[in-house]
Structure formats: C-alpha cells, structure tokens
Amino acid sequence: MQILLVEDDQSLADGLCKALRNVGFITNHVRDGKAARHVIEVEPPDIVVLDLGLPDMDGLDVLKSIRANGSTIPVLILTARSSVDARVSGLDLGADDYLPKPFETPELIARLRVIERRLSTVLQSNIHVGNVSLDTIRQQVCLDDVPVELPRREYMVLKQLMENIGKVQTREQLETRLYAWGEEVSSNAIEVHVHHLRKKLGSDLIKTIRGVGYTIRKP
Ligand code: CA
C-alpha cells in the first residue's frame, strides 16, 4: 500500500514516515500543495494523507483538485482545525476520513488500515493462475491449496503481477510499488524477488520480458 504524506511540519512528517514504513506502508512525503498535485497526477499513490495548513495553498484546494480530476484516491485529512465546520467541509469535498491534530500515530495507522481493507474489498480479492492463488484480503498465497509464506516484498511483486495479469510490469513500475523514494534499491532487487518467487511457486508462473520487465500470462 503506497501512501503520499502531504505535510509541511518536517519533524512530524519524519516521524510519521518512519512509523508508517515500519508497519509496511510504502510512504513518500511532499511538503506543499503544488508538489502534492504533481505527484498525484504522475505517480498516484493508493492513499493521500493530507494536512490542511500548507505553505502554498489550503489543503482543501488540493482535495478539490484531486476530485475535480475525477480521481477517487482515498484522502485522509490531518489538521489542527478541529471545528465541526472544518470537519464537515473536508468530508463534503470528498475526504474519506478526518483526524484532528494532535493525534496518536497508532490511531492514524488504524484508520489507514480501515481504508486499506475497504480498497482491497473493492478490488478482486481472489485471483487464481494455474495452481497458484492469491487472496488480497487475507494476504495469503497458496500453491496447490497449500499456504506459502512470502516476505512482504515478494508478496507485493506477486500481487502486482497477478492484479495486472496479461500486462507487462516494468522493473521501474515494480520498484515504485515496493520502495519509497530515495530508499536504497539495489539494481537487481526485483530480479532477486522474482528468483525467490519462482523457487517457491514454480518456474513457469512469471515470464521475463527481456529488457523490459515481467508478466504473468493468462492461463
Ligand atoms: Ca501544516
């Protein structure tokens, strides 16, 4: 699950990025509305965590522009404006949740988990390819109906390929789903994950498209 945190308070942002990454969210951070709008357009995250008091514009205007472009990305608002009016206007503009500052990080994580669960039930939850099945709600992979334990990043590679069956995923696309910006990624990281997946799930499942990336073909 990829999160974009829009927050101009650097120390709060640093703490949140660390906490969210620790629980497995791929978290990227921008500090103003202009950067947020750009990222949401070119590399849309799964969830936006949006502060309202931004240096260059009101966070509510960022929210308006997201919805005006037809995007349904879930947006969780973080703000010191805790009046009922502020809360209602955020929700009216299409925010999915609203967390007044100050808040406890575990509460933010719990609310993100709720949004994550809602997203995965909207998407197809059970995908089968040959003798491999993936349950995105329980985050469970089975081979011949026997559960296979996968480390988080191997699971994410498999999920990305199975949810996009028949389409080629480039290495760059896979990397952006797996790593936050600036995170150290070795040049063969994706190859290594695929190598492990093939050992665990059979060598035929994931096809290499030479020079481009990987795909899982429709059976
Ligand atoms: Ca602020």
Side-chain angles (χ1 to χ4, degrees):
M1 196 61 43
Q2 204 169 38
I3 311 269
L4 178 68
L5 172 64
V6 187
E7 170 62 69
D8 60 315
D9 178 335
Q10 188 68 42
S11 67
L12 176 62
D14 287 346
L16 287 178
C17 282
K18 196 164 167 236
L20 296 180
R21 285 172 190 157
N22 276 342
V23 295
F25 290 114
I26 311 296
T27 309
N28 291 317
H29 168 230
V30 293
R31 34 189 332 162
D32 61 45
K34 188 163 175 267
R37 282 157 72 158
H38 175 71
V39 172
I40 290 162
E41 195 183 321
V42 300
E43 197 185 303
D46 297 307
I47 304 177
V48 179
V49 176
L50 179 65
D51 177 35
L52 293 189
L54 296 172
D56 59 338
M57 65 179 82
D58 192 307
L60 288 177
D61 291 327
V62 176
L63 174 60
K64 271 186 216 162
S65 76
I66 295 174
R67 294 297 179 246
N69 291 334
S71 167
T72 57
I73 294 178
V75 175
L76 188 156
I77 288 178
L78 288 185
T79 182
R81 294 177 209 162
S82 59
S83 73
V84 172
D85 277 358
R87 191 188 155 97
V88 167
S89 59
L91 295 173
D92 271 355
L93 286 171
D96 294 74
D97 202 352
Y98 197 104
L99 192 55
K101 290 178 180 175
F103 57 87
E104 300 290 329
T105 306
E107 163 128 48
L108 173 63
I109 291 170
R111 291 183 185 214
L112 290 171
R113 293 278 186 227
V114 170
I115 295 175
E116 183 180 32
R117 274 198 297 279
R118 203 165 63 220
L119 281 175
S120 57
T121 51
V122 172
L123 300 169
Q124 190 183 6
S125 65
N126 251 298
I127 309 169
H128 296 264
V129 179
N131 55 351
V132 176
S133 68
L134 172 91
D135 180 332
T136 57
I137 294 176
R138 290 164 56 227
Q139 304 207 344
Q140 177 71 69
V141 175
C142 289
L143 176 67
D144 292 320
D145 297 322
V146 179
V148 179
E149 288 303 320
L150 296 180
R152 186 171 61 83
R153 286 190 170 133
E154 287 174 31
Y155 172 81
M156 293 296 292
V157 170
L158 182 68
K159 178 170 183 273
Q160 185 71 10
L161 290 169
M162 286 184 79
E163 285 182 339
N164 293 283
I165 193 161
K167 293 185 207 153
V168 176
Q169 298 293 300
T170 65
R171 282 187 190 81
E172 292 73 25
Q173 281 172 322
L174 292 167
E175 280 173 6
T176 57
R177 305 307 297 179
L178 260 60
Y179 299 93
W181 306 332
E183 207 176 336
E184 195 70 38
V185 186
S186 65
S187 60
N188 66 344
I190 301 295
E191 281 89 337
V192 171
H193 295 317
V194 168
H195 173 74
H196 289 143
L197 285 167
R198 284 177 174 150
K199 274 179 44 186
K200 292 170 189 173
L201 301 172
S203 55
D204 293 340
L205 180 68
I206 300 173
K207 311 287 180 200
T208 301
I209 309 297
R210 201 171 293 279
V212 183
Y214 299 95
T215 190
I216 292 180
R217 298 217 169 99
K218 284 181 189 160

